[in-house]
Amino acid sequence: MSRTTGSLTSCDIDILYKDGGFPEAATVRDAISPRDAAIEFVGTLYEGRSYERSLPASLHAPDEAYAETRLASLNWIKQTWTGGLTSALFCIRNAIVLDNAIYFQNGDEIRGIYETFRPQDLSHLPLNDPDVTFVEAARSPDTIDLIFNNGGSFNYGHWIVEDLPRLKAFWILRRLFPDKKINIVFRNYHPIIDQIRLQSIDLLLRGSEYTITRINREDAHNFERLYYASPVAVPPALKSPEALRFVASRLRRQVLGVRVKAFCRRLYANRSLPLRRKLFVDRSASYGRGLSNRHEVLAVLARYGFEIVDPLSMSFQRQVATFADARLVVGIMGAAMTNTMFCKPGSTVVHLAAQGWDDPFFWDLASACSHTCHILYGSNESIEQPNRDPFAIDVERLDKLLADLA
């Protein structure tokens, strides 16, 4: 199925976009079917409230004109992206799940759920692709199937910011159906990210009973009734502060014991250790976007008592516990820095990035989490891929910034 507005149906346009958040032009909205009798509203997860975006407390770049342009761009988003996106739980009858898309049978026609075909979502494997296999799996009448994925679920940052909060639907279903089993429909990607995603589900649902059905990209699964938690965000710069607070506060509580033990170990090694941590989020050069002057940067950070952490080497539980007690985080802009959502409100985040990488996602995340944001751009030789190639940070500028923050 190709993405044509005439073949797409919203779960419910009036519910989801009543406060804004529709990601396309009004003409597109008018061309989409606003709802269908096969899609039943179950309950609201998060209201679409607007939130105040603060411009970065500081933004520096090798080219002053570039820095001014970036501030103007962020200010435009601040003034323009108002309103919010409501997230809700729906029950879709006669649903088909393929890749990250959801379809449903409408008479003799198969229609797509618009909320899984937004322009921010990656293209899907079409139903008529020759590699698609229709899987007929036996499903128990005592089991409820829940799905909450999106086109960016393969990325750690998009998963914890945009997907994990939608798991709030689990508790709505548990209240409505106390005697039924809840099964989570889980799209497979790569073993490494899948392991972390499964750990995050397990930590958030700790103490609850549930099952997981893992599906592959090319397998189309039929569901007589499928419960779907709609998106909480419109990448790159519209998020749900309420959704982020729900996940962060719950997970901070879940790892409280781990945090206490870690603090006791650090205190035993250093009696003058502060309660709140200062972290530098490192990034392996093999993943690209590394610091070409890493040793000089580390020398500056060491003078201010920063710990070097590599989230890639940590379990999900340890990542949450590490960032939950940080008051100042410096790191290379990327998925690992979305862990700052676990820092408490009022924390400070310093993003390091190459000049030319203009993604507002991380600045917006800081605003949604009530964090103070600083952005320090560095220089590299790449014009086509500034977010891939190594870059150098002005260590004198970094030293001054950290001195001011200290």
Side-chain angles (χ1 to χ4, degrees), residues 10 64 68 93 144 151 229 276 294 390 392:
S10 172
E64 290 185 8
E68 292 175 1
R93 293 194 294 274
I144 292 173
R276 302 283 299 281
R294 178 175 177 271

Side-chain angles (χ1 to χ4, degrees), residues 18 49 86 89 106-108 138 175-176 199 208 231 297 334 375:
K18 58 185 172 64
R49 299 186 176 92
T86 294
L89 178 63
N106 184 325
D108 295 331
R175 289 196 301 271
L176 293 174
Q199 288 176 6
S208 303
V297 169
I375 304 176

Side-chain angles (χ1 to χ4, degrees), residues 8 84 132 154 188 198 318 378 388:
L8 296 176
V132 172
F154 65 91
N188 290 325
L198 289 170
R318 188 177 167 204
R388 297 292 182 188

